[in-house]
Amino acid sequence: MNYNIALVKGDGIGPEIVEGAVEVLKKVGEKYGHQFIFTEYLAGGCAYDKYGKPLPEETVEGCKNSDSVLLGAVGGPKWDNVPSDLRPEKALLGLRAALGLYTNLRPAKIYPALMGACTLRPDIVERGFDLVIVRELTGGIYFGERGRREGRYGEEAYDTEAYSVMEIERIARVAFETARKRRKNLISIDKANVLETSRLWRQTVNRIAEEYQDVEVSHMYVDNAAMQLVREPSRFDVAVTSNMFGDILSDEASQITGSIGLLPSASLGDSKCGMYEPIHGSAPDIAGTGKANPMATILSAAMMLRYSFDLSEEADCIENAVNAVLEEGFRTADIVGNSGAEPLSCKEMTAKIIERL
Ligand code: IPM
Ligand code: MG
């Protein structure tokens, strides 16, 4: 089969890590007889520099017409002072909206080989954890009305959180379906003790729950969830939450795995075309030094094969290769911890993974 993949390398370490994933995909293609055709598009700070806007129409069109999108990362201090609606991050939000990607799956699990890199107490780490955050991605405060106005105390700024029943229903269904394929436990995270959107969220999740009697559902306030994630991560199987809560909790979940450099994500909508990206940012401090960890992007490519192309054997092959290099003790700088290993560069790590495919 032929698959058209749009590459949005972005800024900072984006190009290095996407290159790593492309090499891996090429090797998988050779092994299993698929052809992956890559087309590059600019988005983020690099697009702003070239076109004066972070998300050119050509990029949106190219991504829409592809079978899937592989994205590196966007942003960096270089663009800190550009007008807010031209910021590199706008490209990411714009792509999510334009492609209708309302679901963001962010799995986080502890690799036995990396238990030493985890920041939690050993007795907590030993119990292990394997969870998925299902984050709503095209609604809530990220896309609500915002602005500046004259308020009671002079100039003020506001951002609004709004969720429709339809938006909550569709993300809840994805979460229940995800839980059904796993340990059948769903925790819905909100702030229903304060927010009206959260009360609607909770009510809607409970209604959809009636369709999924086999899944055990419970609710947790977001502040408590933030605490439980570091106290007892093993109690989470699938967690569903709003755009902003999901943004925050997924960084927290990634840190307890040992490194944010390991976590992939999939952004999905109603069609097969998804966008796959590491959950980490563009790490401008290490861009160009070769220190970046390509694993999160390589694992994102595996998710692409699994979710958009239904190539689960090929996806397993990539995930097993990443597991194998970790088991063998190979490390990039971010996960070297006190292992005593000599850190590998992004290219070296990619090569190790490719050898094991
Ligand atoms: C993420 C990022 C983005 C977000 C930023 C870069 C806009 O933090 O994908 O988690 O907040 O969604
Ligand atoms: Mg984030």
Side-chain angles (χ1 to χ4, degrees):
M1 278 282 280
N2 286 358
Y3 299 95
N4 289 306
I5 300 177
L7 296 181
V8 181
K9 295 181 175 178
D11 310 313
I13 59 170
E16 308 161 44
I17 54 179
V18 170
E19 269 316 311
V22 165
E23 294 306 315
V24 167
L25 283 171
K26 282 185 181 156
K27 182 64 195 280
V28 169
E30 268 168 40
K31 181 168 169 184
Y32 290 91
H34 307 298
Q35 212 190 340
F36 299 115
I37 301 146
F38 301 101
T39 315
E40 284 189 38
Y41 297 96
L42 292 183
C46 55
Y48 175 79
D49 288 346
K50 188 157 178 206
Y51 302 108
K53 51 183 166 184
L55 186 59
E57 287 77 46
E58 185 196 305
T59 299
V60 175
E61 282 313 301
C63 290
K64 271 190 182 164
N65 294 326
S66 69
D67 294 318
S68 251
V69 184
L70 184 63
L71 187 136
V74 296
K78 183 177 174 197
W79 304 283
D80 272 352
N81 295 319
V82 310
S84 60
D85 57 330
L86 296 176
R87 286 185 64 93
E89 290 79 3
K90 277 277 169 188
L92 203 50
L93 302 180
L95 274 173
R96 289 170 181 170
L99 301 177
L101 306 173
Y102 59 85
T103 300
N104 191 208
L105 299 180
R106 298 192 157 184
K109 65 176 179 185
I110 184 100
Y111 285 87
L114 285 179
M115 284 187 171
C118 179
T119 46
L120 299 180
R121 244 179 24 225
D123 61 303
I124 301 175
V125 181
E126 269 153 30
R127 267 176 262 150
F129 62 87
D130 179 348
L131 59 94
V132 181
I133 295 182
V134 179
R135 171 188 177 194
E136 197 291 326
L137 202 60
T138 51
I141 199 163
Y142 272 55
F143 291 91
E145 203 186 311
R146 75 188 78 241
R148 299 282 174 106
R149 62 187 171 201
E150 267 311 292
R152 197 143 55 113
Y153 306 106
E155 188 192 7
E156 65 179 23
Y158 63 97
D159 299 272
T160 20
E161 166 105 344
Y163 269 114
S164 63
V165 171
M166 181 280 285
E167 289 172 297
I168 305 168
E169 275 178 358
R170 65 182 181 184
I171 195 72
R173 284 212 168 80
V174 174
F176 278 106
E177 293 291 338
T178 307
R180 196 168 247 183
K181 293 191 200 109
R182 294 173 44 101
R183 301 193 302 276
K184 300 189 167 44
N185 188 287
L186 175 66
I187 299 181
S188 174
I189 298 171
D190 63 38
K191 188 71 186 171
N193 49 348
V194 178
L195 303 178
E196 195 55 32
T197 39
S198 283
R199 287 189 272 269
L200 182 65
W201 183 281
R202 196 173 274 223
Q203 194 186 325
T204 307
V205 168
N206 280 335
R207 183 162 41 73
I208 301 296
E210 287 164 22
E211 298 167 27
Y212 296 87
Q213 301 283 346
D214 54 324
V215 176
E216 193 187 325
V217 61
S218 58
H219 303 271
M220 210 184 258
Y221 295 138
V222 63
D223 46 351
N224 183 30
M227 182 179 80
Q228 298 303 338
L229 262 178
V230 287
R231 204 180 77 96
E232 200 187 350
S234 60
R235 71 185 283 182
F236 291 86
D237 175 16
V238 179
V240 63
T241 193
S242 64
N243 205 340
M244 185 155 76
F245 294 162
D247 177 47
I248 299 167
L249 293 175
S250 60
D251 266 31
E252 187 187 4
S254 74
Q255 187 50 49
I256 59 174
T257 67
S259 171
I260 196 167
L262 285 175
L263 291 213
S265 80
S267 302
L268 307 168
D270 288 326
S271 82
K272 276 277 175 192
C273 174
M275 187 159 80
Y276 298 83
E277 56 178 306
I279 85 152
H280 60 70
S282 62
D285 52 324
I286 59 162
T289 64
K291 280 193 196 153
N293 183 353
M295 286 178 162
T297 318
I298 290 171
L299 291 169
S300 300
M303 287 187 94
M304 172 186 288
L305 300 185
R306 190 182 305 285
Y307 291 103
S308 283
F309 304 158
D310 294 319
L311 301 174
S312 54
E313 197 185 328
E314 290 81 341
D316 287 343
C317 172
I318 296 179
E319 287 164 2
N320 292 338
V322 169
N323 221 354
V325 295
L326 290 174
E327 287 292 334
E328 287 169 59
F330 296 108
R331 299 286 184 269
T332 42
D334 56 315
I335 47 175
V336 95
N338 51 12
S339 67
E342 184 64 33
L344 298 187
S345 69
C346 182
K347 283 211 166 86
E348 287 163 339
M349 184 51 105
T350 304
K352 290 286 177 215
I353 294 170
I354 289 174
E355 278 169 29
R356 281 154 192 80
L357 286 171

